[in-house]
Amino acid sequence: MSRRTPSRLLAALAGALAALVALSGCAAGSAAPAPAPALSASGEALTGRLTVYAAASLKTGFDEIAKAFVQDNPGVDIEPISYDGSSTLATQIIGGASVDVFASADEANMAKVTGAGLAQDPQPFATNTLVIAVPKANPAGITTLADLAKPGVKVVLCANGVPCGTAAQKLLSNAGLAVTPASSEQNVTAVLTKVAAGEADAGLVYATDVIGRKDVSSIVPDGAAGVVNTYPIVALNGAPDAAVAKAFVAYVVGENGQAILSELGFGKP
Amino acid sequence: MPVDGGRARGYAPRILVLPAVVGLAFLLVPLAALVARVQVDTLWTDITSEAAVSALGLSLATGVTATAVCVAVGVPMAILIARSAPRTAALLRALVTVPLVLPPMVGGVALLFLFGRNGWLGDLLGAIGVRLPFTTAAVVLAQTFVALPFLVLSVEGALRSTGTGFEEAAASLGAGRWTVLRRITLPLAAPGLIAGTVLCFARAIGEFGATALFAGNAPGVTQTMPLAIYTAFNGAGVDQGTAIALSLLLLITAIAVLLLVRAWRPGSVR
């Protein structure tokens, strides 16, 4: 992973200081052609810089995948990956963020990006289901999904439209429950943080989020298997180095990426 | 006049001390609680972690750039407003104040609607290969948008209070317009200019709302300190220890900046 070099940052800032027209130089500069590729062991030459936006629930998995990918392709620089709710990321991409690869936690938010004509043929690469996360001490004594609807129980959920929020609403309505969340968060890590800090009695998060966490307990609710999120990934049309973006997508979908993800608890699509 | 220790105490009811102390405690105790959470043993590693240095460096670089932009366009604006007819000046001053009273998020949305992919200027700029939203340049624009009013209002106030007497005198003695500006107007307005610049910088590095919407939250590119802190408290990005350390750093910067403003010309504390 590389940070921006000071000179690139300065170039961008100098651009902002000057008139808007001067900015074209900086924008063009960041898309400058990569240096001549060196041949790797496989004879495949990959060089370039990659910007990835990924759903918050993918953080551990994608950090690991990015590391492995760069090890296999030393000519590639992956910018620190932006993790947030898929709906936030989709809005930013549609709003003009310059992104090479987008991995969403559900198909609805991916459809927003493909629907805007920014990418084609996203590929499913993982699945996830919901669990009830409670603080280790479980102060509200939560044992079932129905407990979340009890008065006085403070529940945090992802906001509607955020994949974990859409899934949570589906899970609750399948069970005929109405829950008014104490807070609607913009991504799943925010829900988990509120639960882990004991600010909430319970939250609905992905099964993969609670694996290995010592500060929260999880309960698999009835009907969880009926609400499965499928994660799609796509290389965006505007990617300056299309080959690198496609190679990264192939890596996630391929054997190595899948091995990393399944170890973290993600299902196969 | 009752004098106590050489200072006039006035005639305010003594009981007012009570709500005043409550108010002061409300402002300061939360900050004390923040400082208390700082883990001293890891403070140095926290503020020198790669994520923290990247956010700090980005905040300082964009903050300085935004301040420079504000000075470059804000000072001429302030001069114009200060030397306009009263009605025009009132109108201009009201317009300049609008971004200051808007929630910064609204500014972010507005900037996105102007420069975004489907914005008024977005199409035009896209045609020549420039994309502003979600870049480092967008951070600077967002900061400039929210910080500019602070600078303009400070400088305008300073210019108005000095009046035009000295300028007229200099002009009548044959000084040209640029000489008057350089030798009379700006030196007289210097305290306001410095105060405004410092406030403007403080506001720029504290900017969150407009940046979040218009520039996004990409580490190393648009993730400034406030965004890194927000992300950390949502359980991603830099860890909470780092977030608390960064918060402390922002707090110290703010206090330093305010002391600097106050230290400049002690007689004119506003």
Side-chain angles (χ1 to χ4, degrees):
Chain A
M1 306 240 179
S2 76
R3 283 193 300 113
R4 286 198 140 197
T5 57
S7 64
R8 282 192 56 186
L9 184 61
L10 282 177
L13 296 173
L17 184 56
L20 289 178
V21 182
L23 276 160
S24 65
C26 130
S30 62
L39 285 184
S40 73
S42 62
E44 194 72 26
L46 273 184
T47 54
R49 190 176 286 271
L50 200 60
T51 307
V52 179
Y53 274 27
S57 49
L58 290 168
K59 178 162 177 24
T60 314
F62 266 44
D63 276 350
E64 217 170 296
I65 289 177
K67 217 164 146 191
F69 183 77
V70 171
Q71 238 158 37
D72 291 358
N73 301 280
V76 174
D77 256 349
I78 301 184
E79 298 273 352
I81 297 174
S82 292
Y83 297 102
D84 209 328
S86 303
S87 51
T88 303
L89 298 176
T91 305
Q92 293 184 349
I93 291 170
I94 292 164
S98 167
V99 177
D100 303 321
V101 172
F102 173 45
S104 167
D106 73 352
E107 283 152 329
N109 284 294
M110 179 57 81
K112 287 191 214 160
V113 171
T114 52
L118 301 174
Q120 288 86 37
D121 303 326
Q123 301 185 53
F125 69 93
T127 61
N128 219 339
T129 52
L130 293 177
V131 296
I132 305 169
V134 296
K136 199 73 195 173
N138 197 1
I142 308 284
T143 54
T144 65
L145 194 62
D147 289 342
L148 302 191
K150 284 185 182 164
V153 175
K154 224 192 257 177
V155 179
V156 283
L157 299 175
C158 290
N160 239 332
V162 181
C164 55
T166 312
Q169 288 305 333
K170 201 169 158 201
L171 184 69
L172 290 167
S173 72
N174 283 356
L177 296 168
V179 170
T180 311
S183 171
S184 296
E185 302 293 334
Q186 287 304 311
N187 58 56
V188 72
T189 40
V191 173
L192 194 60
T193 307
K194 302 277 185 302
V195 173
E199 302 295 335
D201 297 324
L204 286 171
V205 301
Y206 294 118
T208 53
D209 292 322
V210 292
I211 291 177
R213 293 279 299 225
K214 295 199 167 43
D215 48 355
V216 292
S217 308
S218 64
I219 299 145
V220 178
D222 289 337
V227 182
V228 179
N229 269 34
T230 299
Y231 289 59
I233 188 168
V234 81
L236 289 141
N237 291 343
D241 225 324
V244 177
K246 286 203 174 101
F248 185 78
V249 170
Y251 197 87
V252 171
V253 178
E255 209 177 307
N256 294 342
Q258 290 296 301
I260 291 170
L261 290 169
S262 81
E263 194 149 302
L264 294 170
F266 287 95
K268 296 235 181 267
Chain B
M1 181 180 279
V3 170
D4 189 342
R7 294 183 64 172
R9 287 293 186 87
Y11 292 95
R14 289 174 202 280
I15 195 74
L16 292 187
V17 168
L18 226 65
V21 166
V22 170
L24 191 67
F26 176 69
L27 292 178
L28 296 184
V29 175
L31 297 178
L34 169 74
V35 174
R37 276 295 191 93
V38 172
Q39 292 155 323
V40 182
D41 48 334
T42 58
L43 182 62
W44 183 249
T45 36
D46 280 341
I47 56 177
T48 52
S49 73
E50 186 180 322
V53 170
S54 146
L56 184 62
L58 188 69
S59 266
L60 292 178
T62 52
V64 166
T65 312
T67 306
V69 177
C70 285
V71 170
V73 299
V75 172
M77 261 166 87
I79 294 175
L80 205 74
I81 297 173
R83 301 295 178 249
S84 295
R87 273 193 183 177
T88 319
L91 177 68
L92 288 175
R93 210 179 300 122
L95 290 177
V96 169
T97 313
V98 169
L100 193 133
V101 298
L102 279 181
M105 295 229 169
V106 175
V109 173
L111 286 169
L112 205 52
F113 285 168
L114 177 61
F115 294 112
R117 211 189 283 268
N118 299 311
W120 279 2
L121 288 177
D123 280 347
L124 273 170
L125 291 170
I128 54 168
V130 180
R131 208 185 278 166
L132 283 178
F134 310 106
T135 62
T136 306
V139 178
V140 174
L141 289 180
Q143 290 175 339
T144 305
F145 186 83
V146 296
L148 187 53
F150 285 83
L151 183 100
V152 175
L153 295 180
S154 304
V155 177
E156 195 258 349
L159 287 169
R160 182 166 297 279
S161 65
T162 57
T164 55
F166 291 111
E167 295 176 7
E168 278 158 15
S172 72
L173 294 172
R177 282 169 184 268
W178 283 106
T179 311
V180 171
L181 179 73
R182 202 159 40 84
R183 304 291 292 272
I184 310 286
T185 314
L186 289 181
L188 280 175
L193 179 60
I194 299 213
T197 307
V198 170
L199 268 183
C200 178
F201 175 69
R203 182 67 189 85
I205 60 169
E207 213 306 297
F208 173 77
T211 313
L213 286 177
F214 181 52
N217 192 13
V221 183
T222 62
Q223 191 175 80
T224 53
M225 286 226 280
L227 281 147
I229 291 167
Y230 177 74
T231 309
F233 279 100
N234 274 338
V238 300
D239 63 43
Q240 291 204 1
T242 309
I244 294 168
L246 285 177
S247 303
L248 181 72
L249 218 54
L250 270 189
L251 185 64
I252 292 170
T253 313
I255 292 171
V257 153
L258 291 175
L259 288 177
L260 194 66
V261 175
R262 208 176 175 284
W264 187 270
R265 217 172 64 163
S268 72
V269 176
R270 268 171 287 175

